[in-house]
């Protein structure tokens, strides 16, 4: 169950880094560099680095050898959750267009 919470934290960290206005002050200057611009466009890549950040933090709290795999799991889960959220948002926008027509 702890792994589920950790993966949810990875998703949250990825979303805050990618979309959150609270870190806009950090994201905007970084995105002027090509590496970071491409990194913040890709939830798969950003999820991987979020997993690495949490692995490093967990190393000092309570280390488990399975946390070596956390960046890979975080990458996949972040990518899937970003796709699902985009799908929901697209469907919502299409429904709004349909309501405006009627």
């Amino acid at each position: 169950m702890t792994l589920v919470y950790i993966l949810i934290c990875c998703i949250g960290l990825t979303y805050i880094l990618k979309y959150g206005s609270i870190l806009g002050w950090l994201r905007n200057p970084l995105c002027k560099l090509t590496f970071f611009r491409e990194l913040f466009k890709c939830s798969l890549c950003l999820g991987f680095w979020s997993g690495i950040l949490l692995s490093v933090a967990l190393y000092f709290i309570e280390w488990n050898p399975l946390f070596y795999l956390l960046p890979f799991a975080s990458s996949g889960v972040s990518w899937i959750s970003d796709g699902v959220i985009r799908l929901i948002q697209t469907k919502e926008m299409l429904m709004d267009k349909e309501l405006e027509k009627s």
Side-chain angles (χ1 to χ4, degrees):
M1 191 63 175
T2 303
L3 185 60
V4 173
Y5 293 133
I6 293 171
L7 286 175
I8 290 171
C9 289
C10 288
I11 293 170
L13 181 58
T14 301
Y15 273 69
I16 289 171
L17 289 172
K18 189 172 181 181
Y19 301 113
S21 60
I22 194 166
L23 289 180
W25 63 271
L26 177 64
R27 183 178 51 251
N28 294 335
L30 285 177
C31 284
K32 293 179 182 174
L33 302 170
T34 306
F35 172 77
F36 288 107
R37 186 177 328 118
E38 295 301 316
L39 178 67
F40 282 102
K41 286 182 185 176
C42 176
S43 58
L44 190 72
C45 306
L46 197 57
F48 178 80
W49 288 103
S50 296
I52 287 180
L53 286 173
L54 282 176
S55 289
V56 169
L58 289 170
Y59 176 80
F60 295 106
I61 297 171
E62 176 189 349
W63 181 247
N64 184 338
L66 283 176
F67 292 159
Y68 284 119
L69 301 175
L70 181 61
F72 303 107
S74 171
S75 178
V77 171
S78 295
W79 179 71
I80 289 170
S81 66
D82 194 37
V84 168
I85 294 296
R86 282 188 190 184
L87 185 66
I88 291 169
Q89 288 175 338
T90 303
K91 185 67 174 171
E92 181 183 9
M93 288 173 22
L94 290 172
M95 289 172 59
D96 287 342
K97 277 187 177 181
E98 288 295 320
L99 286 174
E100 287 175 4
K101 286 182 182 179
S102 34

